[in-house]
Coordinates of all heavy atoms in Angstrom, one line a residue:
D23 N -50.9 35.7 15.5 CA -51.0 36.5 16.7 C -49.7 36.5 17.5 O -49.3 35.4 18.0 CB -52.1 36.0 17.6 CG -53.1 37.1 18.1 OD1 -52.6 38.2 18.1 OD2 -54.2 36.8 18.4
P24 N -49.0 37.6 17.6 CA -47.7 37.6 18.2 C -47.7 37.2 19.7 O -46.8 36.6 20.2 CB -47.2 39.0 18.1 CG -48.0 39.7 17.1 CD -49.3 38.9 17.0
G25 N -48.8 37.4 20.4 CA -48.9 37.1 21.8 C -49.3 35.7 22.0 O -49.2 35.2 23.2
R26 N -49.7 34.9 21.0 CA -50.1 33.6 21.2 C -48.9 32.6 21.1 O -48.1 32.7 20.2 CB -51.1 33.2 20.1 CG -52.4 33.0 20.6 CD -53.4 32.4 19.6 NE -53.2 32.8 18.3 CZ -54.1 32.6 17.3 NH1 -55.2 32.0 17.6 NH2 -53.9 33.0 16.1
E27 N -48.8 31.7 22.0 CA -47.8 30.6 21.9 C -48.4 29.4 21.3 O -49.5 29.0 21.6 CB -47.4 30.3 23.4 CG -46.6 31.4 24.1 CD -45.2 31.1 24.1 OE1 -44.7 30.0 23.9 OE2 -44.4 32.1 24.2
P28 N -47.7 28.8 20.3 CA -48.2 27.6 19.7 C -48.2 26.5 20.7 O -47.4 26.4 21.6 CB -47.3 27.3 18.5 CG -46.2 28.3 18.5 CD -46.5 29.3 19.7
A29 N -49.2 25.6 20.6 CA -49.2 24.4 21.5 C -48.0 23.5 21.2 O -47.5 23.4 20.1 CB -50.5 23.6 21.2
R30 N -47.5 22.8 22.2 CA -46.4 21.9 22.0 C -47.0 20.7 21.3 O -48.2 20.3 21.5 CB -45.9 21.5 23.4 CG -45.1 22.6 24.0 CD -44.4 22.2 25.3 NE -45.3 21.5 26.2 CZ -45.9 22.0 27.2 NH1 -45.8 23.3 27.5 NH2 -46.7 21.3 28.0
P31 N -46.2 20.0 20.4 CA -46.7 18.9 19.7 C -47.3 17.8 20.5 O -48.3 17.2 20.1 CB -45.4 18.3 19.0 CG -44.6 19.5 18.8 CD -44.8 20.4 20.1
A32 N -46.9 17.6 21.7 CA -47.4 16.5 22.6 C -48.9 16.8 22.9 O -49.6 15.9 23.3 CB -46.6 16.4 23.8
E33 N -49.3 18.1 22.8 CA -50.6 18.4 23.2 C -51.6 18.3 22.1 O -52.8 18.5 22.2 CB -50.7 19.9 23.7 CG -49.8 20.1 24.9 CD -49.7 21.6 25.3 OE1 -50.2 22.4 24.5 OE2 -49.2 21.9 26.4
V34 N -51.1 18.0 20.9 CA -51.9 18.0 19.7 C -52.2 16.6 19.2 O -51.3 15.8 19.1 CB -51.3 18.8 18.6 CG1 -52.1 18.8 17.3 CG2 -51.0 20.2 19.0
V35 N -53.5 16.3 18.9 CA -53.8 15.0 18.4 C -54.5 15.3 17.0 O -55.5 16.0 16.9 CB -54.8 14.3 19.3 CG1 -55.2 12.9 18.6 CG2 -54.2 14.0 20.7
E36 N -53.9 14.7 16.0 CA -54.4 15.0 14.6 C -54.5 13.6 13.9 O -53.7 12.7 14.1 CB -53.4 15.8 13.8 CG -53.3 17.2 14.3 CD -52.2 18.0 13.5 OE1 -51.4 17.4 12.8 OE2 -52.2 19.2 13.6
A37 N -55.6 13.5 13.1 CA -55.7 12.4 12.2 C -54.7 12.5 11.1 O -54.3 13.5 10.7 CB -57.1 12.4 11.6
P38 N -54.2 11.3 10.7 CA -53.2 11.3 9.6 C -53.7 12.1 8.3 O -52.9 12.8 7.7 CB -52.9 9.9 9.3 CG -53.3 9.1 10.5 CD -54.4 10.0 11.1
E39 N -55.0 12.0 8.0 CA -55.5 12.7 6.9 C -55.4 14.2 7.1 O -55.1 15.0 6.1 CB -57.0 12.3 6.6 CG -57.2 10.8 6.5 CD -57.4 10.1 7.8 OE1 -57.9 10.7 8.8 OE2 -57.0 9.0 7.9
Q40 N -55.7 14.7 8.3 CA -55.6 16.1 8.6 C -54.2 16.6 8.5 O -53.9 17.6 7.9 CB -56.2 16.4 9.9 CG -56.2 17.9 10.2 CD -56.8 18.3 11.5 OE1 -57.1 17.5 12.4 NE2 -57.0 19.6 11.7
R41 N -53.2 15.8 9.0 CA -51.8 16.2 8.9 C -51.4 16.3 7.4 O -50.7 17.2 7.0 CB -51.0 15.2 9.7 CG -49.5 15.3 9.5 CD -48.8 16.6 9.8 NE -49.2 17.4 10.9 CZ -49.0 18.7 11.0 NH1 -48.3 19.3 10.1 NH2 -49.4 19.3 12.1
A42 N -51.8 15.3 6.6 CA -51.5 15.3 5.2 C -52.1 16.6 4.5 O -51.4 17.2 3.7 CB -52.0 14.1 4.5
R43 N -53.3 16.9 4.8 CA -54.0 18.1 4.3 C -53.2 19.4 4.7 O -52.9 20.3 3.9 CB -55.4 18.2 4.7 CG -56.2 19.4 4.3 CD -56.4 19.4 2.8 NE -57.2 20.6 2.5 CZ -56.9 21.3 1.4 NH1 -56.0 20.9 0.5 NH2 -57.6 22.4 1.1
I44 N -52.8 19.5 6.0 CA -52.1 20.6 6.4 C -50.7 20.7 5.7 O -50.4 21.8 5.3 CB -51.9 20.5 8.0 CG1 -53.2 20.8 8.7 CG2 -50.8 21.5 8.5 CD1 -53.2 20.4 10.1
N45 N -50.0 19.6 5.6 CA -48.7 19.6 4.9 C -48.9 20.1 3.5 O -48.1 20.9 3.0 CB -48.1 18.3 5.0 CG -47.5 17.9 6.3 OD1 -47.4 18.8 7.2 ND2 -47.3 16.7 6.6
A46 N -49.9 19.6 2.8 CA -50.2 20.0 1.4 C -50.5 21.5 1.3 O -50.0 22.2 0.4 CB -51.3 19.2 0.8
L47 N -51.2 22.0 2.2 CA -51.5 23.5 2.2 C -50.3 24.3 2.5 O -50.1 25.3 1.9 CB -52.6 23.8 3.3 CG -54.0 23.3 3.0 CD1 -54.9 23.5 4.2 CD2 -54.6 24.1 1.8
V48 N -49.4 23.8 3.4 CA -48.2 24.6 3.7 C -47.3 24.6 2.5 O -46.7 25.6 2.1 CB -47.5 24.0 4.9 CG1 -46.1 24.5 5.1 CG2 -48.3 24.2 6.2
E49 N -47.2 23.4 1.8 CA -46.4 23.4 0.6 C -46.9 24.3 -0.5 O -46.1 25.0 -1.2 CB -46.3 21.9 0.1 CG -45.4 21.0 1.0 CD -45.5 19.6 0.6 OE1 -45.9 19.3 -0.5 OE2 -45.1 18.7 1.5
E50 N -48.2 24.3 -0.6 CA -48.8 25.1 -1.7 C -48.6 26.6 -1.3 O -48.3 27.4 -2.2 CB -50.3 24.8 -1.7 CG -51.0 25.5 -2.9 CD -52.5 25.1 -3.0 OE1 -52.9 24.1 -2.4 OE2 -53.2 25.8 -3.7
R51 N -48.7 26.9 -0.1 CA -48.5 28.3 0.4 C -47.0 28.7 0.1 O -46.7 29.9 -0.3 CB -48.8 28.5 1.8 CG -48.7 30.0 2.3 CD -49.2 30.2 3.7 NE -49.1 31.6 4.0 CZ -48.0 32.1 4.5 NH1 -46.9 31.4 4.7 NH2 -47.9 33.4 4.7
T52 N -46.1 27.8 0.4 CA -44.7 28.1 0.1 C -44.5 28.4 -1.3 O -43.8 29.4 -1.7 CB -43.8 26.9 0.6 OG1 -44.0 26.7 2.0 CG2 -42.3 27.2 0.3
R53 N -45.1 27.6 -2.2 CA -44.9 27.8 -3.7 C -45.5 29.2 -4.0 O -45.0 29.9 -4.8 CB -45.6 26.7 -4.5 CG -44.7 25.5 -4.5 CD -45.3 24.5 -5.5 NE -46.6 24.0 -5.2 CZ -46.9 23.0 -4.4 NH1 -46.0 22.4 -3.8 NH2 -48.2 22.7 -4.2
A54 N -46.7 29.5 -3.5 CA -47.3 30.8 -3.8 C -46.4 32.0 -3.4 O -46.3 32.9 -4.1 CB -48.7 30.9 -3.1
R55 N -45.8 31.8 -2.2 CA -44.9 32.9 -1.7 C -43.7 33.0 -2.6 O -43.2 34.1 -2.9 CB -44.5 32.6 -0.3 CG -45.6 32.9 0.7 CD -45.2 32.6 2.1 NE -43.9 33.1 2.5 CZ -43.6 34.4 2.9 NH1 -44.6 35.3 2.9 NH2 -42.4 34.7 3.2
Q56 N -43.1 31.9 -3.1 CA -42.0 31.9 -4.0 C -42.3 32.6 -5.3 O -41.5 33.2 -5.9 CB -41.5 30.5 -4.2 CG -40.8 29.9 -3.0 CD -40.5 28.4 -3.2 OE1 -41.1 27.7 -4.0 NE2 -39.7 27.8 -2.3
Q57 N -43.6 32.4 -5.7 CA -44.0 33.1 -6.9 C -44.6 34.5 -6.7 O -45.0 35.1 -7.6 CB -45.1 32.2 -7.6 CG -44.6 30.8 -8.0 CD -45.7 29.9 -8.5 OE1 -46.9 30.2 -8.5 NE2 -45.3 28.7 -8.9
R58 N -44.5 34.9 -5.5 CA -44.9 36.2 -5.0 C -46.4 36.4 -5.3 O -46.9 37.5 -5.6 CB -44.1 37.3 -5.7 CG -42.6 37.3 -5.3 CD -41.8 38.4 -5.9 NE -40.5 38.3 -5.5 CZ -39.9 38.9 -4.4 NH1 -40.7 39.5 -3.6 NH2 -38.6 38.7 -4.1
D59 N -47.2 35.3 -5.2 CA -48.6 35.4 -5.3 C -49.2 35.6 -3.9 O -49.6 34.6 -3.2 CB -49.1 34.1 -5.9 CG -50.6 34.1 -6.2 OD1 -51.3 35.0 -5.7 OD2 -51.1 33.2 -6.9
W60 N -49.1 36.8 -3.4 CA -49.5 37.1 -2.0 C -50.9 36.9 -1.7 O -51.2 36.4 -0.6 CB -49.1 38.6 -1.7 CG -47.7 38.9 -2.1 CD1 -47.2 39.9 -2.9 CD2 -46.5 38.2 -1.7 NE1 -45.9 39.9 -3.0 CE2 -45.4 38.9 -2.3 CE3 -46.2 37.1 -0.9 CZ2 -44.0 38.5 -2.1 CZ3 -44.9 36.7 -0.7 CH2 -43.8 37.4 -1.3
A61 N -51.8 37.1 -2.7 CA -53.2 36.9 -2.4 C -53.5 35.4 -2.2 O -54.2 35.0 -1.3 CB -54.1 37.4 -3.6
Q62 N -52.9 34.5 -3.0 CA -53.0 33.1 -2.8 C -52.4 32.6 -1.5 O -53.0 31.8 -0.8 CB -52.4 32.3 -4.0 CG -52.5 30.8 -3.9 CD -53.9 30.3 -3.9 OE1 -54.9 31.0 -4.2 NE2 -54.1 29.0 -3.6
A63 N -51.2 33.2 -1.2 CA -50.6 32.8 0.1 C -51.4 33.2 1.3 O -51.5 32.5 2.2 CB -49.2 33.5 0.2
D64 N -52.0 34.4 1.2 CA -52.9 34.9 2.3 C -54.2 34.0 2.4 O -54.6 33.7 3.5 CB -53.3 36.3 2.1 CG -52.2 37.3 2.3 OD1 -51.2 36.9 2.9 OD2 -52.3 38.5 1.9
A65 N -54.7 33.6 1.3 CA -55.9 32.7 1.3 C -55.5 31.3 1.9 O -56.3 30.8 2.7 CB -56.4 32.5 -0.1
L66 N -54.4 30.8 1.6 CA -53.9 29.5 2.2 C -53.6 29.7 3.7 O -53.9 28.8 4.4 CB -52.7 29.0 1.4 CG -53.0 28.6 0.0 CD1 -51.8 28.4 -0.8 CD2 -53.8 27.3 0.0
R67 N -53.1 30.8 4.0 CA -52.9 31.1 5.5 C -54.2 31.1 6.2 O -54.3 30.5 7.3 CB -52.2 32.4 5.7 CG -52.0 32.7 7.2 CD -51.6 34.2 7.5 NE -50.3 34.5 7.0 CZ -49.2 34.5 7.7 NH1 -49.2 34.1 9.0 NH2 -48.0 34.8 7.2
A68 N -55.2 31.7 5.6 CA -56.6 31.7 6.3 C -57.1 30.3 6.4 O -57.8 29.9 7.4 CB -57.5 32.6 5.5
E69 N -56.9 29.5 5.3 CA -57.4 28.1 5.4 C -56.7 27.3 6.5 O -57.3 26.6 7.2 CB -57.2 27.5 4.0 CG -58.0 26.2 3.8 CD -58.0 25.7 2.4 OE1 -57.7 26.4 1.5 OE2 -58.2 24.5 2.2
L70 N -55.4 27.5 6.6 CA -54.6 26.9 7.7 C -55.1 27.3 9.0 O -55.3 26.5 10.0 CB -53.1 27.1 7.5 CG -52.5 26.3 6.3 CD1 -51.2 27.0 5.9 CD2 -52.3 24.9 6.8
D71 N -55.4 28.6 9.1 CA -55.9 29.2 10.4 C -57.2 28.5 10.8 O -57.4 28.2 12.0 CB -56.0 30.7 10.3 CG -56.3 31.3 11.6 OD1 -55.6 31.1 12.6 OD2 -57.3 32.1 11.7
A72 N -58.1 28.3 9.8 CA -59.3 27.7 10.1 C -59.2 26.2 10.6 O -60.0 25.7 11.3 CB -60.2 27.7 8.8
L73 N -58.0 25.6 10.2 CA -57.7 24.3 10.6 C -57.0 24.3 12.0 O -56.6 23.2 12.5 CB -56.9 23.5 9.6 CG -57.6 23.2 8.3 CD1 -56.6 22.7 7.3 CD2 -58.7 22.2 8.5
G74 N -56.8 25.5 12.5 CA -56.1 25.6 13.8 C -54.6 25.6 13.7 O -53.9 25.3 14.7
V75 N -54.1 26.0 12.6 CA -52.6 26.0 12.4 C -52.2 27.4 12.2 O -52.7 28.2 11.4 CB -52.2 25.2 11.1 CG1 -50.7 25.3 10.9 CG2 -52.6 23.8 11.2
I76 N -51.2 27.8 13.0 CA -50.6 29.1 12.9 C -49.4 29.0 12.0 O -48.5 28.2 12.2 CB -50.1 29.6 14.3 CG1 -51.3 29.7 15.3 CG2 -49.4 31.0 14.2 CD1 -50.9 30.0 16.7
V77 N -49.3 29.9 11.0 CA -48.2 30.0 10.1 C -47.5 31.3 10.4 O -48.1 32.4 10.4 CB -48.6 30.0 8.7 CG1 -47.4 30.1 7.7 CG2 -49.4 28.7 8.3
E78 N -46.2 31.2 10.7 CA -45.4 32.4 11.1 C -44.2 32.5 10.1 O -43.4 31.5 10.0 CB -44.8 32.2 12.5 CG -44.0 33.3 13.0 CD -43.4 33.0 14.4 OE1 -44.2 32.6 15.2 OE2 -42.2 33.3 14.6
D79 N -44.2 33.6 9.4 CA -43.1 33.8 8.4 C -42.0 34.5 9.2 O -42.2 35.5 9.9 CB -43.6 34.7 7.3 CG -44.7 34.0 6.5 OD1 -44.6 32.8 6.2 OD2 -45.7 34.7 6.2
T80 N -40.8 33.9 9.0 CA -39.6 34.5 9.6 C -38.6 34.8 8.5 O -38.8 34.3 7.4 CB -38.9 33.5 10.6 OG1 -38.4 32.4 9.9 CG2 -39.9 33.0 11.7
P81 N -37.6 35.6 8.8 CA -36.6 35.9 7.7 C -35.9 34.7 7.2 O -35.6 34.6 6.0 CB -35.6 36.8 8.4 CG -36.3 37.4 9.6 CD -37.3 36.4 10.0
A82 N -35.7 33.7 8.0 CA -35.0 32.5 7.6 C -36.0 31.5 6.9 O -35.6 30.8 6.0 CB -34.4 31.8 8.8
A83 N -37.2 31.4 7.3 CA -38.1 30.3 6.8 C -39.5 30.6 7.3 O -39.8 31.5 8.0 CB -37.6 29.0 7.2
E84 N -40.4 29.7 6.9 CA -41.8 29.7 7.4 C -41.9 28.6 8.4 O -41.4 27.5 8.3 CB -42.7 29.3 6.2 CG -44.1 29.2 6.5 CD -44.8 28.8 5.2 OE1 -45.2 29.7 4.4 OE2 -45.0 27.6 5.0
R85 N -42.6 28.9 9.5 CA -42.8 27.9 10.6 C -44.3 27.7 10.7 O -45.1 28.7 10.5 CB -42.2 28.4 11.9 CG -40.7 28.6 11.9 CD -40.2 28.9 13.3 NE -41.1 29.9 14.0 CZ -40.8 30.3 15.2 NH1 -39.8 29.8 15.9 NH2 -41.6 31.2 15.8
Q86 N -44.7 26.5 11.1 CA -46.1 26.3 11.3 C -46.2 25.5 12.6 O -45.3 24.8 13.1 CB -46.6 25.4 10.2 CG -46.0 24.1 10.1 CD -46.9 23.1 9.4 OE1 -48.1 23.1 9.5 NE2 -46.3 22.2 8.6
G87 N -47.3 25.7 13.2 CA -47.6 25.0 14.4 C -49.1 25.1 14.8 O -49.8 25.9 14.2
P88 N -49.6 24.2 15.6 CA -51.0 24.3 16.0 C -51.3 25.5 16.8 O -50.3 26.1 17.5 CB -51.2 23.0 16.8 CG -49.9 22.7 17.3 CD -48.9 23.2 16.3
E89 N -52.5 26.0 16.9 CA -52.9 27.1 17.7 C -52.7 26.8 19.1 O -52.8 25.7 19.6 CB -54.3 27.5 17.4 CG -54.4 28.3 16.1 CD -55.8 28.9 16.0 OE1 -56.8 28.2 16.1 OE2 -55.8 30.1 15.7

């Protein structure tokens, strides 16, 4: 959502297991995008969104942050 500002890291409390899961999903999504598997990348974005993580694709890179 372009109008939404991601929360600052200090405002977010995550269990280490959740952070590991999020990192794995982001890495998997990056690979899917590199392989131009847009359907898989979109599915992973939806899964990240369900975990409260906003993924923003920029021309330079992919950024992630909590909602």
Side-chain angles (χ1 to χ4, degrees):
D23 225 337
R26 249 189 323 193
E27 293 257 338
R30 292 187 308 264
E33 298 173 351
V34 178
V35 177
E36 295 175 344
E39 306 83 31
Q40 184 176 11
R41 171 53 41 198
R43 176 71 179 140
I44 289 167
N45 288 341
L47 289 169
V48 169
E49 289 174 17
E50 189 177 345
R51 183 173 182 275
T52 299
R53 283 191 299 276
R55 286 177 46 79
Q56 289 170 342
Q57 296 171 0
R58 298 183 182 269
D59 185 348
W60 309 123
Q62 178 66 11
D64 288 347
L66 291 163
R67 179 194 291 265
E69 194 169 341
L70 286 160
D71 188 55
L73 292 172
V75 177
I76 298 170
V77 177
E78 179 181 317
D79 298 316
T80 68
E84 177 181 274
R85 295 187 319 179
Q86 62 156 327
E89 284 189 307

